[in-house]
Amino acid sequence: MAPVPAPVPATQAPPSQAPPSPAPVDGSGVAAAVAAVRDEAVAALLAFAPAAVDLGRAFAAAGHELSLVGGPVRDAVLGRLTGPADVDLDLATSARPEQTQALLGAWGDATWDVGAAFGTIGARRGDVVVEVTTYRSDLYDRESRKPVVQFGDSLAEDLVRRDFTVNAMAVRLPDGEFVDPCGGLRDLAHRALHTPRAPEDSFADDPLRMMRAARFAATLGLGVAPATVEAMTAMAGRIEKVSAERVRVELEKLLLGAHPRQGLELLVGTGLAEHVLPELPALQLEVDEHHRHKDVYEHTLTVLEQAIALEDGPGGDVPGPDLVLRLAALMHDVGKPPTRRFEPGGGVSFHHHEVVGAKMTARRMKALRFDTATTKQVARLVELHLRFHGYAGGEWTDSAVRRYVTDAGPLLSRLHRLTRSDSTTRNRRKAARLAAAYDSLEQRIVELQEAEELAAVRPDLDGGQIMAVLGTRPGPVVGRAYRHLLELRMDRGPLGEDAARTELLTWWEQQPEAAEPPQA
């Protein structure tokens, strides 16, 4: 979207709710540019979802209003529409839920109750999925955060209750009238995020909107209006009233955005991060007078940006945006504050911060209700992110390389990217030396993988063969024998079955179970 500094609202917002007016400009040319953007967005939306236009005709024939609202309208203005099959279309209507249900039943292939008590009915027609909600004019219980549902009769009234002006635009169906009572088009032109009402009132109704402000900063690259930032800062503690699940969803969307640093800096700057991700602001370690360590917070944000730059396109090893890699980059040094020590000789150390950090990461992700698989993957990457530094001189044995690959397992491609992104030194020679060392390690991994199938390193004998050689049944001793052979495989590479049997029998002679009678 081309920058256009003046709004073209279809309906003027009340003075107390209107965002700040833009600076005076030469009206004729700007107005024409704004009108062109608006008209192009409307045309794109109507072409994007012709099935929704048909639905608008059905609602109009029944005497009801129907409008596309929220994200699809905003994305049309920004030129970000993809395809109807990739997005659920949000619509608002004057019809009551039971009337909406009947009209959707005649229009769609299937309908369902998203939340009739809240006025929302869902439907599908081919690849197009819609959610239609009756106009709302809710009041909120400030303690429970739950709305006291009250249906409304006005589209403008419904739009004013939304989170931000850029999401408070609508296109009426089927005629395509653009409705913008709060100046959302202007705010998009200025790349600014405002609330339709006073931000204190908006955030008091739903504190999660503060997280959404950071998310839209990250996903849309919008700057947040100063008054909105002030309200977020003053009200940051209220986010603790919101469920961990809802906070996690917003944090995930923020991290998967195009500008996650912008959103994270807003969380830290307003104090929200102290309540939802306290490990991040804790990285702002006070710099000692001798400047013996780098700014860990700034380093972390840089590592995140560098990791994102190393993500692959579709079909690559790590196609972006990759939540696991981005979380690992964000959390990789969270163990530094509790492990920092100033050494007698004038240095500073963070011994075992990767181990401490992995545990802290797992605890935080569990508190935020991340799924177990994602939590384990991210914590494992945090634990392994320093492993490479023992290779910096290229002195690793083949055994050490095998262990590196095996310990990383399916996370190896992500570990490669995390390790490379963790180099933020401004010393060009040091950076080049580290990059060359990691190039060397990756090349050795490739060579060993080609020679030994490292991706599936296993002992030369499986569990059944071990039991046959030892004459034993399934039990703990088989597991111990398997791990012994795996250690030999790591240290010496493939042994072959005959040599593995010999090694197994030598090991067995030293085990207490060897004195027991053979088991039938």
Side-chain angles (χ1 to χ4, degrees):
M1 185 190 77
V4 285
V8 184
T11 309
Q12 193 65 38
S16 63
Q17 298 169 348
S21 298
V25 292
D26 179 6
S28 58
V30 171
V34 171
V37 170
R38 177 197 63 202
D39 294 344
E40 183 178 335
V42 170
L45 264 177
L46 299 182
F48 172 79
V53 178
D54 291 342
L55 183 59
R57 295 191 183 99
F59 271 70
H64 305 298
E65 298 177 2
L66 185 71
S67 300
L68 279 163
V69 295
V73 180
R74 179 198 68 223
D75 289 345
V77 173
L78 292 172
R80 290 161 49 101
L81 290 178
T82 51
D86 298 324
V87 64
D88 292 350
L89 298 177
D90 292 327
L91 299 108
T93 182
S94 60
R96 294 308 188 247
E98 64 276 6
Q99 297 168 321
T100 298
Q101 180 84 55
L103 289 165
L104 289 177
W107 170 85
D109 303 323
T111 64
W112 54 90
D113 182 346
V114 177
F118 296 93
T120 304
I121 306 296
R124 177 180 55 80
R125 179 174 173 179
D127 291 333
V128 178
V129 176
V130 301
E131 289 189 359
V132 182
T133 303
T134 301
Y135 295 155
R136 302 258 293 271
S137 57
D138 300 343
L139 298 174
Y140 281 79
D141 182 328
R142 297 290 171 85
E143 292 302 318
S144 69
R145 308 170 316 284
K146 294 181 180 179
V148 179
V149 177
Q150 183 174 319
F151 296 136
D153 298 303
S154 162
L155 175 59
E157 182 182 30
D158 181 85
L159 293 175
V160 166
R161 58 174 285 277
R162 293 175 182 267
D163 55 1
F164 300 104
T165 61
V166 298
N167 296 327
M169 300 179 289
V171 172
R172 292 187 186 274
L173 300 175
D175 60 10
E177 177 191 355
F178 189 81
V179 182
D180 184 15
C182 304
L185 180 58
R186 174 192 59 207
D187 288 342
L188 277 181
H190 286 294
R191 312 298 297 176
L193 201 64
H194 291 270
T195 54
R197 300 174 291 142
E200 293 82 2
D201 292 337
S202 182
F203 298 152
D205 283 349
D206 186 359
L208 188 68
R209 289 172 174 171
M210 296 185 287
M211 289 290 298
R212 287 170 64 83
R215 188 243 288 189
F216 288 125
T219 56
L220 302 179
L222 300 180
V224 182
T228 305
V229 173
E230 289 177 10
M232 292 170 65
T233 304
M235 303 174 70
R238 298 199 183 192
I239 196 65
E240 294 189 2
K241 295 183 177 182
V242 180
S243 71
E245 290 83 358
R246 295 181 72 205
V247 170
R248 185 204 71 237
V249 169
E250 292 300 327
L251 183 60
E252 286 179 346
K253 291 178 179 179
L254 184 160
L255 286 172
L256 293 173
H259 315 279
R261 179 175 188 143
Q262 189 169 327
L264 292 168
E265 288 178 334
L266 184 60
L267 291 182
V268 172
T270 58
L272 277 165
E274 293 281 359
H275 302 280
V276 301
L277 193 65
E279 294 81 3
L280 183 58
L283 295 175
Q284 295 176 306
L285 298 171
E286 67 277 8
V287 178
D288 66 287
E289 67 274 17
H290 302 294
H291 298 276
R292 289 172 290 185
H293 62 79
K294 67 181 72 176
D295 184 326
V296 184
Y297 171 69
E298 289 295 328
H299 164 75
T300 293
L301 296 181
T302 301
V303 169
L304 174 60
E305 291 179 317
Q306 293 184 169
I308 291 170
L310 293 175
E311 290 175 338
D312 301 319
D317 288 342
V318 185
D322 187 84
L323 181 63
V324 170
L325 176 61
R326 295 185 181 200
L327 278 167
L330 182 65
M331 303 296 286
H332 79 284
D333 271 349
V334 296
K336 279 190 171 179
T339 60
R340 184 177 62 162
R341 298 290 183 272
F342 292 112
E343 303 296 346
V348 62
S349 66
F350 304 97
H351 292 311
H352 306 301
H353 79 265
E354 72 281 12
V355 176
V356 173
K359 294 177 180 178
M360 293 172 63
T361 296
R363 283 197 299 269
R364 176 55 50 196
M365 292 183 67
K366 183 178 180 180
L368 287 170
R369 304 293 191 269
F370 278 89
D371 65 274
T372 301
T374 301
T375 299
K376 287 183 176 179
Q377 290 176 324
V378 175
R380 185 61 168 160
L381 284 171
V382 171
E383 183 181 2
L384 293 175
H385 83 273
L386 279 187
R387 185 73 66 85
F388 157 73
H389 291 281
Y391 183 85
E395 67 275 10
W396 277 11
T397 63
D398 285 352
S399 172
V401 175
R402 292 186 194 102
R403 290 179 187 279
Y404 187 81
V405 173
T406 303
D407 288 348
L411 297 172
L412 182 62
S413 293
R414 290 186 176 106
L415 183 58
H416 285 334
R417 286 152 180 79
L418 177 61
T419 302
R420 287 186 179 277
S421 66
D422 194 23
S423 174
T424 61
T425 178
R426 295 180 182 179
N427 184 319
R428 293 186 178 181
R429 289 185 178 179
K430 182 178 180 181
R433 186 168 65 250
L434 288 171
Y438 208 83
D439 289 342
S440 170
L441 175 58
E442 286 200 58
Q443 181 58 37
R444 288 186 64 187
I445 289 172
V446 169
E447 292 170 355
L448 280 171
Q449 284 176 327
E450 291 176 350
E452 303 180 9
E453 298 182 1
L454 275 190
V457 171
R458 294 182 178 84
D460 295 270
L461 302 177
D462 61 25
Q465 291 171 306
I466 289 171
M467 287 187 288
V469 171
L470 302 182
T472 188
R473 295 177 179 175
V477 69
V478 179
R480 298 207 318 271
Y482 186 93
R483 288 190 293 273
H484 172 70
L485 292 178
L486 181 60
E487 288 290 321
L488 291 175
R489 172 71 171 80
M490 292 288 189
D491 290 338
R492 293 159 51 182
L495 301 176
E497 290 188 10
D498 290 342
R501 286 191 184 93
T502 300
E503 293 289 347
L504 177 61
L505 290 171
T506 300
W507 171 85
W508 178 242
E509 290 174 357
Q510 303 172 20
Q511 306 307 307
E513 293 90 346
E516 299 175 1
Q519 299 176 351

